[in-house]
Amino acid sequence: MHLMQPYTIFYLQKNFFLCKSPQLQLVLTPNHQQVSLNRQANTASPNPATYSPNMKSNRRITHLFILLFCFVAMPGMAQNGSVKGIVTDGEARLIGATLFVEDIPAIGTITDVYGVFSLKNIPPGVHTLIVSYIGYEKLTQEITLAAGEEKELEIVLKGMEYQGKEVVITAQKRGQTQAINQQLNDDRIANIVSSDRIQELPDVNAAEAIGRLPGVSLNRSGGEGQKVVIRGLEPKFSAITINGVRLPSNSSTDRSVDLSLIAPELLDGIEVFKSPLPDMDAEALGGTVNLRIRKAPETPKLLFKGLGGYNDLTSQFRDYKLVAQSSRRFFDKKLGVIAQASAERFNRSGDLITYSWRQGRTDSLGNTEILGSSLQTEARTEVRRRYNGSLALDYALTKHNRFSLFGVYSRTDRDQFRNNEQYNPSNKEIEFTGSGLNTSLSLYSVSLFGEHDLGKATLDWSLSGSQSLGKTPYDFSMQFFDNSNPFAAGLNNDSHPNTYLAAANPNLTNTILRSGEFTNTQTRENTQTAILNLLVPIRVNKKISASFKVGGKYYQIDRARDVDVQSEGFYYLGGVITKNAAALYDGTLNYLPSNNSLISMSSFLTGSSPAYIQNEDGSNLQLNSSLDPSLIRNWYESQKPILNEDRSAIVNRYQVLESIGAGYAMLKVKFGNMLTVIPGFRYERSDNSYQSGLSTISGRYGVNGIFQDTTVAQQYGLFLPHLHIKVQPLSWLDVRASYAQTMARPDYQYITPRFQIDQSALIIRAGNPSLNYALSKNYDLQVSAYDKLLGLFTAGAFYKDITNIFIPVTNQLVNDSIADAYGWPGYDGYQIQTYVNLPQSRVWGFELDLQTYFAFLPKPLNRLVLNVNYTRLFSETQVFFLTSETKLIRPFPPIVETIYKTQTRSVPIPSQPPHILHLSLGYEIKKFSARVSGIYQGAQASSYSLNKDFDSYNRQFWRWDASIKQGVGDHISLFLNLNNISNQRDITYIRNTNYLNSIQTYGLTGTIGAQYNF
């Protein structure tokens, strides 16, 4: 475990002076606010992942490879010809179709995401072109090329035949075959959600569509998918891109991306890459998700969609979704334009019950009692409004030069109110809280692409800029408490917490206003990216071909987070504080009958009956109160002038500037259709600057103390080798092996130089500028078997060896040696809340995936489409706990000695589900299409305790959804979507399911509507 590098802190005349450490230099002076904190790259304790070979030697080797392969590629190409075009099935372009020249197998390619192909360096003469696509009959076509001729073709494939009849390719089948062909023809280990599958029966957002793939689970918010978890690694460890351009993080706490922002109607396909090639970002510890934006088709299209929605939990039919899309090509189809806009409103209300437990006695066998502690109930109302817009243009300037521009904008506004009640019989108190929250989360991205056919090579580039902005203009909560011992006399405080509500008898008139707190946050992240790639094809002989690809990328992140907190925590004292507050409020206030200086909670209750939530057994449970959101907000608006600034919030402010330059080289060698080998490397150089502050706080709201700016500079480089092998020993068998190194940079709040010393509570909150990046060595093996009638079956295994993964820790600086180890000498007795690297973690598992349709079955079963996949995940990491044992050395006068020890446990990575099963069964006949899908996740650890019997777990669950589509005429479709049919609830527990910890209920939601497509 890597602790913070030691540095010494001196206190003199309200200014701090920090001395040098081996890797960090931090200087604060009385006359200078700016601090310089410079990190030397791996000078004290070199990271094995850091680039240490002789850089000059590596550059010479790279330059030699480039010259060599360009020299090999030059001869004989000028007089050769080429064939370009598209492959369709008469209705749609086919993505991932395979083409090669029969007499020269080394000349081959696959169609891109728009069904386009290009075969170069074909000698003059007569040749036979072979075109194949799973689910369709193989096509053989003769072509004649003159010297230097460029031929354009439109190839139409015919559906496969079974028992002498052509198999009907319906929309769901086409979507499945698209995904299969793309997956098989990709050089990476990938999973695909095709364009047709997204558009046929769309999910509510992009995250839900991705969540059906092998090895992927979802983090949900309000019942809808929000962030993707690939192979059990947190969302912050996955890269999210649109058309290959990385999106900025829109999380306020880490580097993750909220995908619920993206409407599925925007997308032309989704790709999840689990074994990246050297030309992809290295910062993708879990994997990379690429969202493809739609491109204008050949024929003009106009689409309108309208949906109305129902929320069963609130029994309301007030949701809606509106989508409009238009596309057309101009100037002899050289310019394509596609524009789309959507607006939606969805009720994401929910209920929460929380049971808290405490440890009792431990018997001689080591069994510890679990006793009830408190009960918390929450009724949450929430409405989300989402707006999406996109514009994509593509322009063919010449046959050899193409440009494209796309922009996307998404925004989600959330309006939430939480009515919370907490029952604490041991303290003889009930606490009531009303919390209002308005948030806005927006994302935009604009990118310009260019692709240039240079004859002997292909050059492509892109320039892009993106921004995410998260704001909470309103986040206010009011706390009330009844401390008149409002529980029945016979209540056993140690009993199950579900007995507390029935035993409570609060007097809301005598319930006192205790406090109010307002939080205002803003998190902005801007990114700029420039990418350049050069691909040089090489033909060694008729059976062996190769390509050499080099490129570079520059990526800059500019991020800032601001947090302000204003509060008043002493209304319950009455006196001047309460009197001044009441004078500003223009509403009606009720006071306690026994004390007319204390404000009663009854002043803020609604006139309606108390709120209801769904109980553990599914029955309705009536709460004791129902606070009024408008009255809570009115109180805040009146109190703004006199709320107190809470200085403890300044520790969460920071600014970040990260600049990453990357270069790569990779060689792809194909030995006919039998073997493909791709060796290569990627080098990334980081030049980062992190700015925050050092502060001390004491007294009410931290009013006393000082603040000093701090800045950390980091520079480091990584050399990341790759090797990918693809073998096709039989026409129906595909075997792949991959080795790749990936990395992850620490969360911003982890690594920024944020130091706060709370001199009242004796707590130190500190970032750790000495944190190292995490490095993963990834091993993948995958076998695929496929058949044009049976579909695709894939089995894969993987292993990740991860060093320096970063985690938060809380420890007690109980003596000088521990304080020194954490870099805080002289602060023994304080609690430290900081972040550390773990030396070693492992993640491994296997994935099974079956994609098939039943064309060989008799009617009507031949219309079925099945997708099923199962993932088994394992992991191992470490957690640390500080324990103490106090011994009596001398009874009188008493002298005791306390011995502290650090306990270590090997555990699975938190929040990694061990079992993930996805099922999807579709059916199509004529204009009717339907799909039922289910998701199963096994029980998973969520947090760990010193006593393993008190570890927390998320309970296993099944979740079921259904979609129906019926075509009417040539242009109209009717939709019905049902989500969470099984009323799946998020449930956590400790030890076993007899001790539930929390139950979150979201209920069933549904939409019904129509689409007009012209």
Side-chain angles (χ1 to χ4, degrees), residues 248-355:
S249 165
N250 49 26
S251 169
S252 61
T253 57
D254 58 30
R255 295 177 183 261
S256 62
V257 176
D258 182 352
L259 283 170
S260 67
L261 277 170
I262 307 298
E265 289 84 3
L266 290 175
L267 304 178
D268 199 42
I270 302 172
E271 302 157 323
V272 177
F273 301 115
K274 298 173 180 175
S275 62
L277 291 174
D279 59 351
M280 300 176 64
D281 277 352
E283 192 174 3
L285 207 68
T288 298
V289 177
N290 184 45
L291 311 174
R292 294 201 312 271
I293 298 296
R294 298 174 66 84
K295 179 181 176 182
E298 296 295 316
T299 56
K301 287 192 175 182
L302 185 64
L303 178 147
F304 295 101
K305 178 189 288 186
L307 298 170
Y310 174 77
N311 183 292
D312 184 59
L313 195 67
T314 59
S315 301
Q316 292 181 355
F317 195 96
R318 298 174 57 187
D319 296 342
Y320 63 83
K321 182 172 185 178
L322 303 173
V323 181
Q325 184 183 100
S326 178
S327 61
R328 189 166 184 173
R329 304 199 73 85
F330 302 90
F331 307 123
D332 197 24
K333 298 187 177 182
K334 290 184 178 181
L335 173 64
V337 181
I338 181 168
Q340 177 171 292
S342 66
E344 58 187 271
R345 182 243 194 229
F346 282 98
N347 190 321
R348 296 296 177 190
S349 300
D351 299 339
L352 173 65
I353 300 175
T354 302
Y355 302 136

Side-chain angles (χ1 to χ4, degrees), residues 712-733:
V712 171
Q714 281 191 348
Q715 300 85 30
Y716 55 87
L718 299 90
F719 181 79
L720 305 168
H722 288 247
L723 178 62
H724 306 262
I725 299 173
K726 179 180 177 181
V727 183
Q728 189 175 354
L730 301 169
S731 61
W732 52 271
L733 189 64

Side-chain angles (χ1 to χ4, degrees), residues 301-304 970-973 1011-1014:
K301 287 192 175 182
L302 185 64
L303 178 147
F304 295 101
D970 295 330
H971 304 293
I972 298 176
S973 299
Q1011 175 176 303
Y1012 178 82
N1013 195 339
F1014 178 74

Side-chain angles (χ1 to χ4, degrees), residues 569-634:
F570 300 97
Y571 292 123
Y572 65 94
L573 296 179
V576 175
I577 292 176
T578 308
K579 183 177 180 180
N580 291 341
L584 292 176
Y585 185 62
D586 58 2
T588 301
L589 288 176
N590 302 322
Y591 294 86
L592 267 65
S594 59
N595 189 336
N596 61 7
S597 68
L598 299 179
I599 298 173
S600 167
M601 177 181 168
S602 62
S603 307
F604 302 94
L605 296 177
T606 65
S608 58
S609 61
Y612 285 86
I613 65 172
Q614 196 172 110
N615 203 355
E616 179 182 336
D617 60 5
S619 62
N620 285 332
L621 181 68
Q622 180 177 318
L623 304 186
N624 280 303
S625 69
S626 183
L627 291 163
D628 190 317
S630 61
L631 294 177
I632 298 290
R633 178 138 197 171
N634 289 345

Side-chain angles (χ1 to χ4, degrees), residues 9 12 72 135 140 144 156-157 230 243 249 264 298 337 392 462 471 545 553 612 648 650 665 673 711 738 746 755 943:
I9 300 179
L12 179 63
V72 173
T140 302
T144 302
V156 180
L157 297 185
I230 301 178
N243 283 10
S249 165
E298 296 295 316
V337 181
S462 69
K471 298 187 294 184
S545 65
K553 175 180 179 178
Y612 285 86
S648 65
I650 61 180
N673 294 321
T711 299
S738 170
F755 311 108
S943 64

